[in-house]
């Protein structure tokens, strides 16, 4: 559970802490993103609760785009299907590392004795083209 879902009563438990401030700031920023999304939709049929659910599901599984392109200045995130399952065992430490260049490099995810390596098979141009075509899915 994230404090983004806390009501007034729950927020009292984190009152006067750094978490309270961070939660209020993040929730305020998300509300602005929600309002912007609703303005850009042709049909206004997404509720705040649905938006918040989608955001928390996505963000809890996303990795920074800089894992693909370390030179990127973007704050975008990317999903690696099934890789997020590596941390489903309690107290599991996950590390990731990138090696090589963006064209031929690899990305490794290590969880205990299990390791997954993703090897670049596409060019930067292909990745950038894909990112542009699905940019409305990227938060």
């Amino acid at each position: 559970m994230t404090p983004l879902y806390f009501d007034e009563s729950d927020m009292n438990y984190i009152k006067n802490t750094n978490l309270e401030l961070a939660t209020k700031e993040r929730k305020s920023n998300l509300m602005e993103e929600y309002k912007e999304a609703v303005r850009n939709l042709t049909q206004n049929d997404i509720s705040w609760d649905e938006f918040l659910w989608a955001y928390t599901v996505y963000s809890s599984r996303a990795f920074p785009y800089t894992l693909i392109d370390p030179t990127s200045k973007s704050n975008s995130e990317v999903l690696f299907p099934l890789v997020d399952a590596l941390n489903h065992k309690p107290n599991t430490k996950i590390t990731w590392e990138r090696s090589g260049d963006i064209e031929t490099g690899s990305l490794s995810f290590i969880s205990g004795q299990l390791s997954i390596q993703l090897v670049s098979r596409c060019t930067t141009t292909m990745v950038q083209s894909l990112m542009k075509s699905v940019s409305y899915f990227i938060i």
Side-chain angles (χ1 to χ4, degrees):
M1 169 75 104
T2 169
L4 291 172
Y5 290 104
F6 285 7
D7 60 20
E8 294 264 341
S9 174
D10 294 331
M11 287 298 287
N12 285 327
Y13 291 106
I14 61 172
K15 192 172 183 121
N16 300 320
T17 67
N18 291 342
L19 182 57
E20 177 191 29
L21 179 60
T23 300
K24 286 181 176 181
E25 285 179 5
R26 188 68 193 131
K27 202 167 191 176
S28 175
N29 291 338
L30 284 172
M31 182 56 76
E32 290 304 313
E33 289 181 31
Y34 168 71
K35 289 175 183 176
E36 179 70 21
V38 168
R39 276 194 296 273
N40 291 316
L41 291 174
T42 55
Q43 294 180 343
N44 185 3
D45 59 354
I46 183 170
S47 71
W48 164 249
D49 289 337
E50 291 167 328
F51 179 86
L52 186 58
W53 173 85
Y55 170 79
T56 56
V57 167
Y58 174 83
S59 66
S60 69
R61 288 160 178 80
F63 293 88
Y65 179 72
T66 53
L67 286 176
I68 294 174
D69 181 1
T71 64
S72 175
K73 302 296 183 211
S74 172
N75 289 330
S76 296
E77 297 169 323
V78 63
L79 296 176
F80 295 111
L82 301 178
V83 171
D84 70 307
L86 291 173
N87 68 347
H88 284 206
K89 183 178 177 184
N91 302 318
T92 302
K93 181 180 178 188
I94 307 290
T95 57
W96 58 78
E97 60 186 41
R98 183 169 206 335
S99 62
D101 62 38
I102 189 161
E103 300 292 333
T104 60
S106 67
L107 181 58
S108 299
F109 295 87
I110 300 109
S111 170
Q113 294 180 346
L114 179 63
S115 176
I116 296 175
Q117 187 172 43
L118 306 174
V119 179
S120 176
R121 299 238 188 265
C122 56
T123 66
T124 304
T125 306
M126 291 170 69
V127 170
Q128 288 171 342
S129 176
L130 175 65
M131 295 299 283
K132 286 179 185 171
S133 66
V134 297
S135 63
Y136 56 91
F137 288 114
I138 299 172
I139 294 177

